Amino acid sequence: MQKKNFLRKILQVATIGLLLATLLGYFGNLYVGFELLSHFKPYYLILAFAIAPLVFFQNKRRYKILIIATLLFNIYEVLPWYLPSRAHASTESIATVKMLSVNVKFNNADQSRVEEFIKKESPAVVMLQELNPTWEETLENLKTVYPYGYIEDPKNNFGVGILSVLPMENIKVINVEGRQTPSLEADIEVADGYWVKVIAIHPVPPITQTHMKNRNKMFAKIARMARESNLPVVIAGDFNTTMWSPAYKKLVKESGLSDGARGRGLYGSWPYGDTNYKNFTVTDELGFTDWIPKNIVNHSPVKLPLDHVLVSDNLLVNSFSTGEDVGSDHLPVVFEVSLATYE
């Protein structure tokens, strides 16, 4: 009897904990710890489904209500990613462009895997994050394939770049006040006389309250840029947040863009990695090294979608997928966009 009561208490605590974690995630704009809780909606849903039969087996009405509420909140957050979306409707297009975005991992020990994957996929536009001086040779090799491009001087571990086989102009580095990582924008000619603004984003990882505020400043600036742009806009990169974060939802709303993965099901782009990373040798002015232990990266069963693609209304996402492991802790994201209208 004592063991039975103990197991019942465990079940009750789990029921309350799942609902509490679900609800606190909605207040992620107030505290970085709450935002962290917002990222695990699919896992809350799986756990809630797993314990629901046990909860209903008990004659405790309040816990039945709690588990139903947990299921409903998380179904509301997860289900839309499986429903059809405008972002990949079918229509006649002016131009179709394949793009690739990847956080290469600054101390990736096997950079050739990144280079080989890019050449194999052969996208017209490549967006790279977490570049540092050790990537110089790989970048030079890629420049033989991509005649247009710009690499923001990677003095620390957060260099960012855009490479293209298509003409590029109006290249600008995007910075905000505070300890921050740069993002990059460029206008790319996808067809004769038709241009698209591409933004490669990599905000600071929000692992402290200060970093979260700085990340939000970057999101606000990029949302304003997208909203005010006269060109169609593509934003892609390592956003360092999932789609369930209040900050990400605000970015999507204020930018007026659509998520290219919506309607295609859930995916995980981080953490991955099956190689040993190089020793950290480059000074990082933001204070980041390997803040996630490698054994967690290599063996974590939990995978989160941190790498996203946002597009404006006159761009349609024809395909969206994660690529193969390239030795980074992130998987690449490969996608194809079509320019449907041009105003």
Side-chain angles (χ1 to χ4, degrees):
M1 179 64 71
Q2 190 174 12
K3 182 178 180 181
K4 187 176 180 181
N5 288 335
F6 176 75
L7 293 176
R8 184 183 296 113
K9 289 293 183 184
I10 292 294
L11 185 62
Q12 292 171 354
V13 169
T15 302
I16 295 171
L18 279 174
L19 181 57
L20 188 61
T22 297
L23 294 178
L24 287 176
Y26 290 108
F27 299 93
N29 58 323
L30 301 178
Y31 175 60
V32 66
F34 294 163
E35 186 187 44
L36 181 63
L37 292 173
S38 73
H39 301 321
F40 301 94
K41 303 293 188 183
Y43 298 98
Y44 299 153
L45 183 59
I46 292 169
L47 290 173
F49 269 122
I51 69 173
L54 299 175
V55 174
F56 276 89
F57 185 73
Q58 297 185 73
N59 292 318
K60 296 284 187 178
R61 184 171 179 268
R62 61 180 176 272
Y63 290 104
K64 294 177 184 178
I65 293 173
L66 293 181
I67 201 66
I68 290 173
T70 302
L71 287 168
L72 291 176
F73 273 114
N74 289 295
I75 288 172
Y76 174 79
E77 295 291 345
V78 171
L79 184 60
W81 296 94
Y82 290 89
L83 301 178
S85 169
R86 180 223 64 82
H88 46 87
S90 176
T91 187
E92 184 178 351
S93 62
I94 297 170
T96 298
V97 182
K98 185 177 183 181
M99 300 187 182
L100 184 152
S101 172
V102 58
N103 179 325
V104 299
K105 183 66 177 175
F106 61 87
N107 54 354
N108 189 333
D110 194 355
Q111 298 182 10
S112 63
R113 293 170 67 179
V114 175
E115 181 182 343
E116 290 167 4
F117 179 75
I118 291 173
K119 289 180 177 179
K120 182 181 74 172
E121 289 292 328
S122 190
V125 179
V126 179
M127 286 156 275
L128 303 169
Q129 304 99 48
E130 279 199 23
L131 298 168
N132 67 19
T134 68
W135 285 85
E136 182 177 355
E137 182 178 348
T138 300
L139 291 172
E140 287 301 318
N141 293 339
L142 288 172
K143 286 176 183 178
T144 63
V145 181
Y146 295 92
Y148 303 95
Y150 180 83
I151 306 296
E152 167 60 3
D153 191 13
K155 293 178 181 178
N156 54 37
N157 298 306
F158 291 90
V160 62
I162 300 176
L163 304 176
S164 176
V165 299
L166 304 169
M168 282 177 54
E169 62 179 36
N170 298 328
I171 301 163
K172 297 177 184 176
V173 178
I174 306 168
N175 283 304
V176 295
E177 294 180 358
R179 303 181 77 193
Q180 186 57 271
T181 56
S183 295
L184 191 64
E185 70 165 313
D187 296 343
I188 296 179
E189 189 176 31
V190 297
D192 189 20
Y194 292 94
W195 295 79
V196 169
K197 183 177 293 296
V198 172
I199 299 176
I201 187 173
H202 185 213
V204 63
I207 58 176
T208 68
Q209 195 73 9
T210 299
H211 288 323
M212 184 181 77
K213 290 179 180 178
N214 289 335
R215 186 276 316 271
N216 292 347
K217 289 179 184 177
M218 177 65 79
F219 278 0
K221 183 170 185 176
I222 287 181
R224 184 172 62 254
M225 291 170 57
R227 188 174 61 249
E228 296 174 353
S229 174
N230 295 321
L231 297 175
V233 176
V234 175
I235 303 176
D238 172 11
F239 285 62
N240 273 314
T241 191
T242 66
M243 60 278 268
W244 301 291
S245 159
Y248 183 85
K249 292 178 179 179
K250 184 178 180 181
L251 167 62
V252 173
K253 181 179 179 180
E254 292 186 349
S255 66
L257 305 180
S258 302
D259 192 305
R262 198 173 183 92
R264 300 182 183 276
L266 297 181
Y267 63 99
S269 64
W270 177 92
Y272 281 86
D274 61 6
T275 63
N276 292 319
Y277 299 131
K278 291 179 182 178
N279 292 328
F280 177 77
T281 55
V282 179
T283 301
D284 181 3
E285 63 190 37
L286 293 173
F288 296 117
T289 55
D290 282 325
W291 60 280
I292 301 293
K294 285 194 284 290
N295 63 328
I296 294 178
V297 171
N298 293 338
H299 305 294
S300 172
V302 176
K303 306 297 182 184
L304 299 177
L306 300 188
D307 299 79
H308 307 282
V309 175
L310 298 178
V311 298
S312 53
D313 287 344
N314 40 14
L315 285 168
L316 306 177
V317 180
N318 302 319
S319 64
F320 176 97
S321 63
T322 53
E324 64 189 48
D325 188 342
V326 293
S328 172
D329 54 346
H330 288 254
L331 292 183
V333 168
V334 184
F335 58 101
E336 183 183 84
V337 296
S338 291
L339 181 59
T341 61
Y342 196 95
E343 297 178 358

mmCIF file of all heavy atoms in Angstrom, residues 125-151:
data_model
loop_
_atom_site.group_PDB
_atom_site.id
_atom_site.type_symbol
_atom_site.label_atom_id
_atom_site.label_comp_id
_atom_site.label_asym_id
_atom_site.label_seq_id
_atom_site.Cartn_x
_atom_site.Cartn_y
_atom_site.Cartn_z
ATOM 1 N N VAL A 125 22.485 29.703 -53.078
ATOM 2 C CA VAL A 125 22.832 30.627 -51.996
ATOM 3 C C VAL A 125 23.146 29.818 -50.746
ATOM 4 O O VAL A 125 22.405 28.882 -50.394
ATOM 5 C CB VAL A 125 21.679 31.610 -51.704
ATOM 6 C CG1 VAL A 125 22.052 32.553 -50.558
ATOM 7 C CG2 VAL A 125 21.322 32.412 -52.951
ATOM 8 N N VAL A 126 24.234 30.166 -50.084
ATOM 9 C CA VAL A 126 24.664 29.489 -48.861
ATOM 10 C C VAL A 126 24.799 30.517 -47.750
ATOM 11 O O VAL A 126 25.418 31.567 -47.936
ATOM 12 C CB VAL A 126 26.010 28.767 -49.057
ATOM 13 C CG1 VAL A 126 26.450 28.091 -47.760
ATOM 14 C CG2 VAL A 126 25.913 27.758 -50.186
ATOM 15 N N MET A 127 24.227 30.209 -46.581
ATOM 16 C CA MET A 127 24.363 31.061 -45.401
ATOM 17 C C MET A 127 25.097 30.284 -44.317
ATOM 18 O O MET A 127 24.700 29.170 -43.964
ATOM 19 C CB MET A 127 22.987 31.502 -44.908
ATOM 20 C CG MET A 127 22.354 32.566 -45.801
ATOM 21 S SD MET A 127 20.546 32.618 -45.688
ATOM 22 C CE MET A 127 20.102 31.353 -46.883
ATOM 23 N N LEU A 128 26.193 30.856 -43.819
ATOM 24 C CA LEU A 128 27.064 30.168 -42.869
ATOM 25 C C LEU A 128 27.119 30.929 -41.555
ATOM 26 O O LEU A 128 27.190 32.158 -41.539
ATOM 27 C CB LEU A 128 28.471 30.044 -43.449
ATOM 28 C CG LEU A 128 28.602 29.335 -44.808
ATOM 29 C CD1 LEU A 128 29.997 29.538 -45.369
ATOM 30 C CD2 LEU A 128 28.286 27.852 -44.667
ATOM 31 N N GLN A 129 27.108 30.182 -40.462
ATOM 32 C CA GLN A 129 27.227 30.782 -39.130
ATOM 33 C C GLN A 129 28.324 30.090 -38.336
ATOM 34 O O GLN A 129 28.677 28.953 -38.601
ATOM 35 C CB GLN A 129 25.897 30.674 -38.365
ATOM 36 C CG GLN A 129 24.705 31.287 -39.077
ATOM 37 C CD GLN A 129 23.866 30.237 -39.784
ATOM 38 O OE1 GLN A 129 23.521 29.217 -39.204
ATOM 39 N NE2 GLN A 129 23.528 30.499 -41.038
ATOM 40 N N GLU A 130 28.858 30.816 -37.352
ATOM 41 C CA GLU A 130 29.943 30.367 -36.462
ATOM 42 C C GLU A 130 31.252 30.143 -37.203
ATOM 43 O O GLU A 130 31.940 29.143 -37.002
ATOM 44 C CB GLU A 130 29.537 29.124 -35.661
ATOM 45 C CG GLU A 130 28.703 29.460 -34.457
ATOM 46 C CD GLU A 130 28.658 28.352 -33.386
ATOM 47 O OE1 GLU A 130 29.577 27.513 -33.340
ATOM 48 O OE2 GLU A 130 27.698 28.367 -32.621
ATOM 49 N N LEU A 131 31.598 31.095 -38.028
ATOM 50 C CA LEU A 131 32.893 31.051 -38.707
ATOM 51 C C LEU A 131 33.956 31.704 -37.826
ATOM 52 O O LEU A 131 33.678 32.671 -37.118
ATOM 53 C CB LEU A 131 32.811 31.788 -40.043
ATOM 54 C CG LEU A 131 31.829 31.219 -41.063
ATOM 55 C CD1 LEU A 131 31.636 32.203 -42.212
ATOM 56 C CD2 LEU A 131 32.314 29.869 -41.585
ATOM 57 N N ASN A 132 35.165 31.187 -37.896
ATOM 58 C CA ASN A 132 36.303 31.833 -37.249
ATOM 59 C C ASN A 132 37.518 31.680 -38.171
ATOM 60 O O ASN A 132 37.403 31.101 -39.259
ATOM 61 C CB ASN A 132 36.537 31.286 -35.830
ATOM 62 C CG ASN A 132 36.979 29.840 -35.811
ATOM 63 O OD1 ASN A 132 37.455 29.298 -36.807
ATOM 64 N ND2 ASN A 132 36.818 29.198 -34.664
ATOM 65 N N PRO A 133 38.684 32.186 -37.803
ATOM 66 C CA PRO A 133 39.837 32.149 -38.722
ATOM 67 C C PRO A 133 40.238 30.750 -39.186
ATOM 68 O O PRO A 133 40.872 30.614 -40.235
ATOM 69 C CB PRO A 133 40.943 32.809 -37.888
ATOM 70 C CG PRO A 133 40.220 33.755 -36.991
ATOM 71 C CD PRO A 133 38.961 33.039 -36.625
ATOM 72 N N THR A 134 39.887 29.717 -38.441
ATOM 73 C CA THR A 134 40.281 28.365 -38.857
ATOM 74 C C THR A 134 39.528 27.900 -40.101
ATOM 75 O O THR A 134 39.907 26.893 -40.716
ATOM 76 C CB THR A 134 40.034 27.341 -37.727
ATOM 77 O OG1 THR A 134 38.622 27.187 -37.507
ATOM 78 C CG2 THR A 134 40.706 27.783 -36.435
ATOM 79 N N TRP A 135 38.488 28.623 -40.499
ATOM 80 C CA TRP A 135 37.684 28.240 -41.661
ATOM 81 C C TRP A 135 38.171 28.900 -42.952
ATOM 82 O O TRP A 135 37.535 28.771 -43.999
ATOM 83 C CB TRP A 135 36.209 28.605 -41.423
ATOM 84 C CG TRP A 135 35.557 27.653 -40.481
ATOM 85 C CD1 TRP A 135 35.561 27.709 -39.123
ATOM 86 C CD2 TRP A 135 34.829 26.471 -40.836
ATOM 87 N NE1 TRP A 135 34.880 26.642 -38.597
ATOM 88 C CE2 TRP A 135 34.417 25.869 -39.630
ATOM 89 C CE3 TRP A 135 34.481 25.870 -42.043
ATOM 90 C CZ2 TRP A 135 33.678 24.681 -39.611
ATOM 91 C CZ3 TRP A 135 33.749 24.699 -42.024
ATOM 92 C CH2 TRP A 135 33.359 24.106 -40.814
ATOM 93 N N GLU A 136 39.305 29.592 -42.899
ATOM 94 C CA GLU A 136 39.773 30.356 -44.056
ATOM 95 C C GLU A 136 39.975 29.469 -45.292
ATOM 96 O O GLU A 136 39.535 29.809 -46.406
ATOM 97 C CB GLU A 136 41.077 31.077 -43.709
ATOM 98 C CG GLU A 136 41.599 31.943 -44.844
ATOM 99 C CD GLU A 136 42.858 32.709 -44.443
ATOM 100 O OE1 GLU A 136 43.256 32.633 -43.264
ATOM 101 O OE2 GLU A 136 43.436 33.362 -45.333
ATOM 102 N N GLU A 137 40.617 28.327 -45.126
ATOM 103 C CA GLU A 137 40.894 27.461 -46.276
ATOM 104 C C GLU A 137 39.609 26.910 -46.883
ATOM 105 O O GLU A 137 39.439 26.881 -48.111
ATOM 106 C CB GLU A 137 41.807 26.309 -45.865
ATOM 107 C CG GLU A 137 42.181 25.393 -47.027
ATOM 108 C CD GLU A 137 43.123 24.274 -46.613
ATOM 109 O OE1 GLU A 137 43.673 24.329 -45.486
ATOM 110 O OE2 GLU A 137 43.306 23.333 -47.412
ATOM 111 N N THR A 138 38.689 26.477 -46.029
ATOM 112 C CA THR A 138 37.405 25.956 -46.517
ATOM 113 C C THR A 138 36.639 27.024 -47.281
ATOM 114 O O THR A 138 36.054 26.753 -48.339
ATOM 115 C CB THR A 138 36.556 25.447 -45.334
ATOM 116 O OG1 THR A 138 37.270 24.409 -44.658
ATOM 117 C CG2 THR A 138 35.216 24.902 -45.820
ATOM 118 N N LEU A 139 36.639 28.243 -46.766
ATOM 119 C CA LEU A 139 35.934 29.340 -47.431
ATOM 120 C C LEU A 139 36.569 29.656 -48.779
ATOM 121 O O LEU A 139 35.856 29.943 -49.755
ATOM 122 C CB LEU A 139 35.930 30.572 -46.527
ATOM 123 C CG LEU A 139 35.073 30.465 -45.257
ATOM 124 C CD1 LEU A 139 35.314 31.666 -44.354
ATOM 125 C CD2 LEU A 139 33.595 30.357 -45.609
ATOM 126 N N GLU A 140 37.890 29.605 -48.843
ATOM 127 C CA GLU A 140 38.558 29.858 -50.122
ATOM 128 C C GLU A 140 38.179 28.794 -51.146
ATOM 129 O O GLU A 140 37.978 29.088 -52.333
ATOM 130 C CB GLU A 140 40.076 29.884 -49.921
ATOM 131 C CG GLU A 140 40.579 31.128 -49.201
ATOM 132 C CD GLU A 140 40.229 32.415 -49.934
ATOM 133 O OE1 GLU A 140 40.359 32.444 -51.175
ATOM 134 O OE2 GLU A 140 39.814 33.381 -49.260
ATOM 135 N N ASN A 141 38.059 27.553 -50.710
ATOM 136 C CA ASN A 141 37.634 26.477 -51.606
ATOM 137 C C ASN A 141 36.214 26.714 -52.118
ATOM 138 O O ASN A 141 35.910 26.488 -53.298
ATOM 139 C CB ASN A 141 37.709 25.128 -50.898
ATOM 140 C CG ASN A 141 39.133 24.706 -50.576
ATOM 141 O OD1 ASN A 141 40.082 25.195 -51.190
ATOM 142 N ND2 ASN A 141 39.289 23.806 -49.627
ATOM 143 N N LEU A 142 35.341 27.163 -51.229
ATOM 144 C CA LEU A 142 33.954 27.411 -51.624
ATOM 145 C C LEU A 142 33.828 28.607 -52.558
ATOM 146 O O LEU A 142 32.947 28.635 -53.424
ATOM 147 C CB LEU A 142 33.083 27.623 -50.376
ATOM 148 C CG LEU A 142 32.809 26.380 -49.537
ATOM 149 C CD1 LEU A 142 32.114 26.745 -48.231
ATOM 150 C CD2 LEU A 142 31.964 25.377 -50.324
ATOM 151 N N LYS A 143 34.710 29.562 -52.412
ATOM 152 C CA LYS A 143 34.654 30.748 -53.268
ATOM 153 C C LYS A 143 34.954 30.424 -54.731
ATOM 154 O O LYS A 143 34.606 31.197 -55.624
ATOM 155 C CB LYS A 143 35.617 31.818 -52.748
ATOM 156 C CG LYS A 143 35.128 32.511 -51.484
ATOM 157 C CD LYS A 143 36.163 33.504 -50.954
ATOM 158 C CE LYS A 143 35.701 34.148 -49.658
ATOM 159 N NZ LYS A 143 36.734 35.080 -49.105
ATOM 160 N N THR A 144 35.575 29.285 -54.986
ATOM 161 C CA THR A 144 35.803 28.885 -56.377
ATOM 162 C C THR A 144 34.493 28.471 -57.047
ATOM 163 O O THR A 144 34.385 28.475 -58.271
ATOM 164 C CB THR A 144 36.798 27.711 -56.452
ATOM 165 O OG1 THR A 144 36.238 26.573 -55.786
ATOM 166 C CG2 THR A 144 38.120 28.082 -55.805
ATOM 167 N N VAL A 145 33.506 28.095 -56.229
ATOM 168 C CA VAL A 145 32.181 27.704 -56.734
ATOM 169 C C VAL A 145 31.212 28.879 -56.667
ATOM 170 O O VAL A 145 30.331 29.019 -57.514
ATOM 171 C CB VAL A 145 31.624 26.511 -55.922
ATOM 172 C CG1 VAL A 145 30.254 26.084 -56.453
ATOM 173 C CG2 VAL A 145 32.603 25.345 -55.937
ATOM 174 N N TYR A 146 31.401 29.710 -55.640
ATOM 175 C CA TYR A 146 30.482 30.828 -55.395
ATOM 176 C C TYR A 146 31.232 32.150 -55.618
ATOM 177 O O TYR A 146 31.937 32.630 -54.722
ATOM 178 C CB TYR A 146 29.927 30.748 -53.974
ATOM 179 C CG TYR A 146 29.062 29.523 -53.771
ATOM 180 C CD1 TYR A 146 29.603 28.333 -53.289
ATOM 181 C CD2 TYR A 146 27.711 29.540 -54.096
ATOM 182 C CE1 TYR A 146 28.817 27.201 -53.122
ATOM 183 C CE2 TYR A 146 26.915 28.416 -53.940
ATOM 184 C CZ TYR A 146 27.474 27.256 -53.460
ATOM 185 O OH TYR A 146 26.685 26.133 -53.307
ATOM 186 N N PRO A 147 31.085 32.731 -56.798
ATOM 187 C CA PRO A 147 31.850 33.942 -57.128
ATOM 188 C C PRO A 147 31.403 35.189 -56.370
ATOM 189 O O PRO A 147 32.156 36.154 -56.272
ATOM 190 C CB PRO A 147 31.611 34.117 -58.631
ATOM 191 C CG PRO A 147 30.308 33.417 -58.887
ATOM 192 C CD PRO A 147 30.261 32.276 -57.926
ATOM 193 N N TYR A 148 30.174 35.175 -55.868
ATOM 194 C CA TYR A 148 29.663 36.316 -55.108
ATOM 195 C C TYR A 148 29.561 35.916 -53.632
ATOM 196 O O TYR A 148 29.213 34.791 -53.299
ATOM 197 C CB TYR A 148 28.285 36.739 -55.615
ATOM 198 C CG TYR A 148 28.249 37.092 -57.072
ATOM 199 C CD1 TYR A 148 27.880 36.135 -58.029
ATOM 200 C CD2 TYR A 148 28.582 38.373 -57.521
ATOM 201 C CE1 TYR A 148 27.847 36.445 -59.377
ATOM 202 C CE2 TYR A 148 28.557 38.680 -58.874
ATOM 203 C CZ TYR A 148 28.189 37.721 -59.799
ATOM 204 O OH TYR A 148 28.162 38.022 -61.134
ATOM 205 N N GLY A 149 29.842 36.867 -52.771
ATOM 206 C CA GLY A 149 29.702 36.552 -51.360
ATOM 207 C C GLY A 149 30.380 37.568 -50.471
ATOM 208 O O GLY A 149 31.125 38.442 -50.923
ATOM 209 N N TYR A 150 30.107 37.410 -49.193
ATOM 210 C CA TYR A 150 30.726 38.277 -48.197
ATOM 211 C C TYR A 150 30.808 37.495 -46.887
ATOM 212 O O TYR A 150 29.843 36.839 -46.463
ATOM 213 C CB TYR A 150 29.920 39.554 -47.980
ATOM 214 C CG TYR A 150 30.535 40.478 -46.951
ATOM 215 C CD1 TYR A 150 31.555 41.347 -47.301
ATOM 216 C CD2 TYR A 150 30.100 40.459 -45.625
ATOM 217 C CE1 TYR A 150 32.139 42.183 -46.362
ATOM 218 C CE2 TYR A 150 30.671 41.287 -44.680
ATOM 219 C CZ TYR A 150 31.691 42.148 -45.054
ATOM 220 O OH TYR A 150 32.277 42.972 -44.119
ATOM 221 N N ILE A 151 31.956 37.572 -46.237
ATOM 222 C CA ILE A 151 32.165 36.956 -44.928
ATOM 223 C C ILE A 151 32.467 38.071 -43.937
ATOM 224 O O ILE A 151 33.453 38.791 -44.093
ATOM 225 C CB ILE A 151 33.331 35.946 -44.946
ATOM 226 C CG1 ILE A 151 33.133 34.910 -46.055
ATOM 227 C CG2 ILE A 151 33.464 35.284 -43.586
ATOM 228 C CD1 ILE A 151 31.931 34.036 -45.898
#
